[in-house]
Amino acid sequence: MTLFGYDQGVFGTPHAPNTAAHWSIHRSIVYLAGGVIVTQDFLDTLKLNGPENTSLVGTVTALYDVGCFFGAVAAFSLGERLGRKKSILLGTTVMSIGAILQISAYSTAQMIAGRIVAGLGNGLNTATAPVWQAETSQAHWRGKLVVIEMILNIAGFSLSNWITYGFSYASGPITWRFPLAFQFVFIIILFATVPWLPESPRWLIAHGGIDEAEQIIADLESTTIDDPWVVTESKEIQWAVQFEREHGVGWWDLLRGRTGDAKTSTVRRLILGGGTQAMQQLAGINVTSYYLPTVLIQSVGLEEKLARLLAACNSVSYLLFSLIAIPNVERWGRRKLMMYGAAGQCFCYLIITVLLRYNEKPGYPAAKEVASASVAFFFLYYVFFGIGWQGVPWLYPTEINSLSMRTKGAALGTASNWAFNFMVVEITPIGIQNLQWKFYIIWTIFNASFVPIVYLFYPETADRKLEDIDRLFRENQNILIFRDKDAISSKRPAAYIEHEQREVRRNSSVVSANPEAVRKRLAKMNLANDEIDADVEKGGLGDENGDGFGHHQKI
């Protein structure tokens, strides 16, 4: 994900002005936004100088998003056939080819080819990595680890800002070829580490590799394959795979409108997962990224270098505040993070809209002051987005979809993210020019709408095993879930815990020939009970509903 963030930020995100008169300020804005695409040697080498080539500059950049979209679409079929590890290695190989084409480019055509190829590889990787992470993580670590993935994405983006900022003081080909080549640091790390990492045990079981999957589950739990919990986990995954084969629906059937057996809620789960990715882009993150440089240069009147430095500092602030999501993605749950984040983003856009209204009002005496004040709310917007909407939309599709549809669901979510990303980036300069401050009313309303949407329709996935979520959709066919306490609690429902306890006890008798494995599992169960007792003494664990009863039962 660090490679993803770096590759996304190193090129920059230019937008085409409509007239030659706007060229000089446009160059300053794009230059501030970060990226090699406005360095003088880059423009001279590829013959992209001048206002007549600005649309082509925008196209060269935007085609990366198009490549990412089709790379994510390719993951629909390739991801499930190749497995998680091979998909990542294939995506990284494709990105390497794209990077080489860009680094060695001496023509616009070669640069365009490099951008598309790199996008294809990145799309495949971004559709696969969260799934792989989710399927190899313990329930109480799954959310934290996927959020950490996306924080590393921000770290890569921030690093690219600082590298391109530093090389803006140099001259010649090194100003753009070195920042593009630096991504090979992350590519080499991937090639050196991915082959040694475990394959997803859920993918292995779905493809007949039960013995290898059980060994991986045991290794992840630091126990043996005879452990009753390992046996229980393996059997639950096998049961889920068999249920999906009997009741699931194929991808081509979905495209033809055949939803199959309603017991799996396949279409509903796909829409929920893809919806989080669409909402992430409709929250206006790329609108903010675009307009902040405009405010800093045109409205506040900052020097280009200072404005660019401030934008780079903002990326560090964005990174630091995103760390808040790591402990709270499990403590508060996915639903609360998304609702809190959307409410905060709505507030920021509302204030930004009001301030820019007065900034653009002819003859308003404090125009510069209100523009300066708006910068603070742009920064605050990044705080709310980093906490609530940076990581969860990438995590949710990997959790909400069933095993057979997990890769497809994550790929669909990633594809929708890139599609809406491209749409927002394309309409933003037109919207700002024609609607001016009114353009931000759109994003205020979008963010306000996300709060009731999440509250009404989105089940909680925190503190659940992936098989728990399958059970929720088998037993709950109601689209409106806000009245179902088990569906919205941020703690694992007692019914799921009790079911797991019964299965572990039953399998304990089956594998009792290995007393050491049983002893270790019992020790873990006793430790969990002690933790529950301690939490209850502090105020009642999981008393989300105000009824005085926790959602956890003793093991």
Side-chain angles (χ1 to χ4, degrees):
M1 281 299 173
T2 310
L3 173 61
F4 166 30
Y6 185 88
D7 202 47
Q8 196 174 29
V10 72
F11 219 76
T13 53
H15 303 272
N18 292 326
T19 66
H22 294 157
W23 168 248
S24 60
I25 186 64
H26 166 73
R27 275 209 62 200
S28 297
I29 292 170
V30 176
Y31 187 63
L32 164 63
V36 302
I37 199 166
V38 291
T39 57
Q40 191 61 48
D41 188 79
F42 177 92
L43 296 171
D44 292 341
T45 302
L46 302 185
K47 298 179 175 58
L48 292 174
N49 264 316
E52 68 278 5
N53 289 315
T54 305
S55 295
L56 181 57
V57 171
T59 300
V60 171
T61 304
L63 284 174
Y64 177 76
D65 288 348
V66 175
C68 288
F69 172 82
F70 285 106
V73 171
F76 287 172
S77 58
L78 288 177
E80 198 57 37
R81 280 188 287 176
L82 295 178
R84 316 313 186 215
K85 286 176 60 173
K86 290 181 180 178
S87 294
I88 292 290
L89 289 172
L90 174 62
T92 306
T93 301
V94 174
M95 287 190 75
S96 302
I97 296 171
I100 291 171
L101 288 172
Q102 292 175 74
I103 296 165
S104 61
Y106 280 92
S107 68
T108 303
Q110 182 176 337
M111 182 59 69
I112 288 174
R115 293 295 290 165
I116 294 174
V117 172
L120 287 170
N122 189 51
L124 181 58
N125 279 358
T126 53
T128 304
V131 175
W132 190 18
Q133 182 71 76
E135 291 184 337
T136 53
S137 303
Q138 296 175 335
H140 63 282
W141 271 102
R142 186 174 63 243
K144 296 175 185 177
L145 291 174
V146 174
V147 168
I148 289 172
E149 274 191 58
M150 299 318 300
I151 289 174
L152 290 174
N153 168 269
I154 303 172
F157 177 78
S158 179
L159 178 63
S160 71
N161 278 341
W162 285 104
I163 287 180
T164 54
Y165 172 70
F167 276 91
S168 69
Y169 290 91
S171 60
I174 194 173
T175 57
W176 62 279
R177 295 192 191 273
F178 180 87
L180 288 174
F182 190 81
Q183 63 190 292
F184 271 98
V185 171
F186 309 112
I187 290 173
I188 292 171
I189 291 173
L190 283 172
F191 279 131
T193 57
V194 169
W196 304 99
L197 296 176
E199 180 57 89
S200 162
R202 290 172 172 84
W203 182 85
L204 287 169
I205 288 175
H207 292 79
I210 296 175
D211 292 341
E212 184 180 353
E214 289 180 344
Q215 184 61 59
I216 290 173
I217 294 172
D219 291 342
L220 293 172
E221 287 287 326
S222 299
T223 185
T224 66
I225 59 173
D226 294 328
D227 189 311
W229 191 90
V230 173
V231 176
T232 302
E233 184 79 355
S234 176
K235 287 184 176 180
E236 286 190 358
I237 297 172
Q238 292 176 53
W239 190 91
V241 169
Q242 187 59 36
F243 184 89
E244 280 291 323
R245 286 172 180 167
E246 294 174 358
H247 300 277
V249 54
W251 185 250
W252 292 111
D253 289 332
L254 285 175
L255 293 178
R256 288 180 290 179
R258 300 176 183 177
T259 58
D261 193 330
K263 291 181 181 179
T264 58
S265 301
T266 300
V267 175
R268 177 185 166 196
R269 296 163 81 171
L270 285 171
I271 292 173
L272 288 172
T276 59
Q277 293 275 31
M279 286 190 287
Q280 185 192 54
Q281 290 303 316
L282 293 176
I285 182 63
N286 281 309
V287 178
T288 308
S289 300
Y290 170 72
Y291 200 61
L292 177 58
T294 309
V295 173
L296 292 175
I297 293 177
Q298 289 183 299
S299 300
V300 183
L302 295 182
E303 296 266 338
E304 179 184 299
K305 293 288 185 183
L306 178 59
R308 181 168 182 162
L309 177 62
L310 190 58
C313 290
N314 179 52
S315 70
V316 176
S317 171
Y318 181 25
L319 171 64
L320 294 177
F321 278 103
S322 296
L323 298 174
I324 296 174
I326 295 176
N328 293 314
V329 70
E330 298 296 345
R331 184 181 305 159
W332 296 345
R334 311 339 178 206
R335 283 167 49 87
K336 289 180 181 177
L337 275 184
M338 288 193 286
M339 288 190 289
Y340 294 162
Q345 291 161 194
C346 174
F347 170 76
C348 291
Y349 261 124
L350 177 62
I351 301 301
I352 288 169
T353 302
V354 173
L355 292 173
L356 293 182
R357 162 70 181 89
Y358 284 99
N359 171 251
E360 295 172 9
K361 186 177 181 180
Y364 187 70
K368 185 173 182 179
E369 286 75 10
V370 295
S372 300
S374 72
V375 174
F377 289 94
F378 279 116
F379 275 57
L380 184 61
Y381 173 90
Y382 276 96
V383 172
F384 285 112
F385 184 86
I387 295 172
W389 284 89
Q390 170 64 17
V392 174
W394 292 92
L395 167 64
Y396 202 83
T398 69
E399 298 180 312
I400 203 68
N401 287 291
S402 63
L403 177 58
S404 66
M405 296 300 293
R406 191 163 295 133
T407 302
K408 298 180 181 71
L412 178 65
T414 304
S416 68
N417 184 289
W418 289 113
F420 279 95
N421 184 322
F422 181 77
M423 180 198 74
V424 171
V425 166
E426 287 298 306
I427 69 172
T428 293
I430 300 171
I432 290 174
Q433 178 179 344
N434 295 327
L435 298 177
Q436 297 181 327
W437 65 270
K438 300 182 187 72
F439 184 62
Y440 296 92
I441 298 175
I442 297 171
W443 313 104
T444 304
I445 294 173
F446 268 134
N447 280 287
S449 70
F450 297 159
V451 178
I453 288 173
V454 172
Y455 178 77
L456 294 172
F457 301 107
Y458 277 78
E460 183 57 70
T461 58
D463 199 30
R464 274 98 164 145
K465 296 196 305 180
L466 297 176
E467 289 66 41
D468 290 343
I469 300 167
D470 290 336
R471 176 178 175 177
L472 169 68
F473 282 98
R474 288 196 302 269
E475 297 176 351
N476 185 345
Q477 299 297 314
N478 191 352
I479 295 176
L480 297 173
I481 53 83
F482 66 98
R483 292 191 181 94
D484 187 337
K485 295 178 180 179
D486 285 348
I488 66 174
S489 171
S490 60
K491 299 298 181 182
R492 192 181 182 197
Y496 299 171
I497 298 174
E498 291 166 358
H499 169 75
E500 183 180 51
Q501 291 168 8
R502 288 194 298 269
E503 291 300 308
V504 169
R505 291 192 188 100
R506 187 169 65 84
N507 290 315
S508 295
S509 62
V510 174
V511 296
S512 57
N514 188 338
E516 182 62 21
V518 176
R519 187 191 65 77
K520 287 182 178 180
R521 180 53 50 187
L522 289 174
K524 288 187 178 182
M525 293 166 71
N526 290 332
L527 178 60
N529 281 333
D530 292 341
E531 292 175 351
I532 291 172
D533 288 337
D535 286 332
V536 169
E537 289 174 2
K538 291 178 182 178
L541 179 63
D543 188 11
E544 301 273 327
N545 308 307
D547 54 12
F549 296 95
H551 282 263
H552 274 297
Q553 299 285 330
K554 277 189 147 185
I555 300 174

